[in-house]
Amino acid sequence: MSRSEPQLPERTRVACLPGDCIGPEVMAVATRILRELAPDLELEDHLFGGVAIRATGDSLPDETLEACRSSDAVLKAPVGDPEFDAADVRPEQGMLRLRAELDVYANLRPARKGPVDILIVRELVGGLYFGARGVRDDGTVFDTCEYHPSQVERIARRAFALARARRGKLTSVDKANVLETSRMWRRVVHEVATDYPDVEVEDMLVDNAAMQLASSPEQFDVIVTENMFGDILSDLAAAMTGGLGLAPSASLGDIGPGIFEPVHGSAPDIAGRGVANPAAMLRSTALMLEHGLGREGEARSLEGAVESALRDAPTPDLGGRASTSEFADAVVEALAR
Ligand code: NAD
Ligand code: IPM
Ligand code: MN
């Protein structure tokens, strides 16, 4: 038997996308904390979003896409800048492309506070965001909501499996009283349900779901829904559980790296003032440690340290006075305890 060459351990690589407006402010906190908590991780910044458009003309340059593909996880801060709102090339287009290229179809958006403990499972690579679109000869503009049953089946399976590991209740949200895609969604969800007899499943129309989320959010365990409904309902769930500054997300496929990013946007209204709440970014980092890198211990430590910082150094969106960096100091102190 020949002696094998000594091998250097493979390093775990995280592609960091700092993005726009408050993006770099909250990403700086995440990388500071990761260097303390998991110094072996290799963190590399890449151009993405508005900053990438300014530098290269493209919101998702090839180099960035390749770096994301070959990483172990993508840690992403928000993109978007009012400068591009009316432009043909916009930061958000790169975001949709990155989600599609990595096929991260399952977007997990937890919302927790007191008795409320909801997990929204949002389909992320189909529906209105990706259907046919255009302008007809008469000037009519259209976007189309399109789903293939296989896309519904895979997100439904993911949601049932998650519900089984939680409190065993799944609410499937649709608009089956109006939309063909929703009627197919409902049919497929109930076909998949036969493989999960231990999970209680209910259907709810999206308008009612918004009302129920606002009036009795504690009734929900896992909510599964299509892309656009999930976008809107997850901001509402965030508002019901402490605000957008706290809400994280994990976008997962079946293979390859996941994308971990806050639910909130780039908050141009507070950018540059050093007051952005980095908790959602840090909770997304904890989701990355757990679901993206299999490092549950560090994920739990980080979640705990964020909880203490929320008590000791709340930022202005939470009624406190701490700056972004004072919040980060409080997280570092809590990690050291
Ligand atoms: P937004 O989420 O950026 O802001 C909504 C409100 O919440 C603002 O008042 C903002 O100040 C506040 N807020 C958000 N995050 C906060 C934080 N961490 N700390 C304190 N306050 C916070 O939504 P918007 O204003 O509608 O969108 C702004 C831009 O962000 C748009 O260009 C949009 O396309 C983009 N966007 C990007 C993502 C993403 O990259 N994941 C998500 C949503 C919106
Ligand atoms: C989100 C954002 C994005 C979405 C936008 C910026 C494209 O609102 O991640 O919730 O709608 O998915
Ligand atoms: Mn959104």
Side-chain angles (χ1 to χ4, degrees):
M1 225 167 77
S2 67
R3 212 153 51 92
S4 55
E5 293 291 312
Q7 297 245 316
L8 285 175
E10 252 205 36
R11 301 205 62 184
T12 301
R13 291 177 47 229
V14 176
C16 299
L17 311 178
D20 304 314
C21 300
I22 66 163
E25 302 173 30
V26 292
M27 180 62 88
V29 177
T31 52
R32 174 180 169 197
I33 302 300
L34 279 177
R35 287 199 185 94
E36 295 271 338
L37 184 66
D40 59 303
L41 294 181
E42 198 169 290
L43 311 176
E44 315 163 330
D45 278 359
H46 297 281
L47 285 173
F48 185 60
V51 63
I53 300 175
R54 282 187 215 102
T56 70
D58 185 354
S59 58
L60 175 57
D62 292 344
E63 180 272 335
T64 298
L65 177 58
E66 279 323 305
C68 291
R69 269 193 211 291
S70 63
S71 72
D72 294 287
V74 178
L75 185 61
K76 184 189 154 294
V79 299
D81 191 309
E83 174 189 338
F84 298 105
D85 280 353
D88 287 335
V89 180
R90 293 183 303 281
E92 293 82 355
Q93 293 163 332
M95 223 172 118
L96 301 190
R97 235 188 96 212
L98 182 63
R99 290 171 177 174
E101 293 277 359
L102 298 184
D103 199 25
V104 287
Y105 63 89
N107 182 215
L108 279 42
R109 298 189 157 189
R112 245 180 247 130
K113 187 188 186 185
V116 179
D117 181 357
I118 305 172
L119 178 63
I120 295 184
V121 180
R122 169 190 179 194
E123 199 293 327
L124 201 61
V125 296
L128 261 179
Y129 283 57
F130 292 92
R133 63 187 54 199
V135 186
R136 293 206 190 97
D137 290 346
D138 72 350
T140 306
V141 182
F142 62 96
D143 298 280
T144 319
C145 185
E146 297 183 22
Y147 271 108
H148 188 275
S150 61
Q151 289 177 291
V152 180
E153 182 181 343
R154 65 179 185 171
I155 191 70
R157 286 200 183 281
R158 190 63 84 110
F160 273 103
L162 288 160
R164 172 176 275 175
R166 289 169 47 103
R167 301 195 302 281
K169 183 172 175 201
L170 179 65
T171 306
S172 173
V173 171
D174 62 34
K175 188 73 185 174
N177 53 347
V178 177
L179 301 175
E180 286 302 331
T181 42
S182 283
R183 279 193 282 274
M184 181 273 285
W185 179 283
R186 210 176 256 217
R187 176 173 55 74
V188 172
V189 165
H190 286 275
E191 282 163 14
V192 172
T194 59
D195 290 339
Y196 299 86
D198 50 323
V199 175
E200 181 196 333
V201 60
E202 66 173 352
D203 301 303
M204 195 177 280
L205 296 172
V206 63
D207 44 357
N208 182 34
M211 188 277 283
Q212 300 284 339
L213 264 175
S215 55
S216 54
E218 64 291 335
Q219 71 180 283
F220 295 103
D221 179 10
V222 178
I223 293 176
V224 64
T225 191
E226 65 90 44
N227 202 344
M228 174 72 105
F229 297 160
D231 178 43
I232 298 167
L233 294 180
S234 58
D235 266 38
L236 177 54
M240 298 304 293
T241 50
L244 272 178
L246 303 183
S249 92
S251 305
L252 308 172
D254 289 325
I255 48 165
I259 304 175
F260 302 86
E261 60 174 326
V263 170
H264 66 71
S266 59
D269 54 336
I270 58 165
R273 295 182 10 217
V275 295
N277 184 351
M281 187 74 218
L282 290 174
R283 285 179 164 174
S284 305
T285 307
L287 290 178
M288 175 186 81
L289 288 166
E290 181 178 354
H291 297 278
L293 303 177
R295 298 166 68 131
E296 211 170 307
E298 288 153 345
R300 290 289 95 77
S301 307
L302 178 50
E303 278 172 3
V306 170
E307 287 311 307
S308 336
L310 288 170
R311 282 190 301 271
D312 298 345
T315 44
D317 56 309
L318 303 173
R321 298 165 62 100
S323 65
T324 307
S325 63
E326 285 164 349
F327 187 97
D329 293 341
V331 175
V332 172
E333 271 169 42
L335 282 174
R337 281 203 287 269

